[in-house]
Amino acid sequence: QNAVKRLLRKVAEPILTDETNLTEQDIEDVRMLYTQWRDNGVNYVIGDKVVYIDKLYKVLQNHTSQESWTPDAASSLFAKYRPLGSVEEWVQPDSTNPYMIDDLVIFKGKTYESTIDNNVWSPTAYPAGWKEL
């Protein structure tokens, strides 16, 4: 079973390298191929993929896992895959996981589309970086 998963991950890697074209179904299809994140001293390297609370994350920096460095809390270590066209509540991104052109968010009950890459501002903080839909 592990050998099959390793082979399937090799096939899935090209899908995950072009994040701008990932659909929710793409992420769901490959998420099951990756292991759950563990906090017990696992050595992660740049590019590794892990699943945490049913979300797929990629490793941004080499590190050894620690209990408080969860993928959803350690944005300098992990970035969550965002499906193309998905709409989630806006959260303050760090420089390691900014919003990109065409990313959609819900902010104060309205839907916005990012008009710039590397967008780390809210629609009210930098209105020129967003288009209300």
Side-chain angles (χ1 to χ4, degrees), residues 39-90:
D39 64 1
N40 57 349
V42 174
N43 290 321
Y44 289 113
V45 297
I46 293 172
D48 282 352
K49 279 60 168 194
V50 295
V51 176
Y52 181 73
I53 309 180
D54 290 330
K55 302 284 185 202
L56 183 63
Y57 292 83
K58 66 180 173 184
V59 175
L60 300 174
Q61 292 185 50
N62 296 344
H63 68 282
T64 302
S65 63
Q66 296 182 23
E67 185 176 346
S68 62
W69 293 354
T70 59
D72 63 339
S75 60
S76 64
L77 300 176
F78 299 94
K80 183 173 83 170
Y81 280 95
R82 284 196 280 259
L84 178 67
S86 69
V87 183
E88 297 180 354
E89 284 290 328
W90 181 88

Side-chain angles (χ1 to χ4, degrees), residues 2 5 9 30-38 42 44 48-52 55-57:
N2 286 338
K5 274 190 171 183
R9 280 196 299 261
V30 298
R31 182 178 55 85
M32 66 183 167
L33 301 175
Y34 294 93
T35 59
Q36 292 289 323
W37 175 81
R38 295 180 309 200
V42 174
Y44 289 113
D48 282 352
K49 279 60 168 194
V50 295
V51 176
Y52 181 73
K55 302 284 185 202
L56 183 63
Y57 292 83

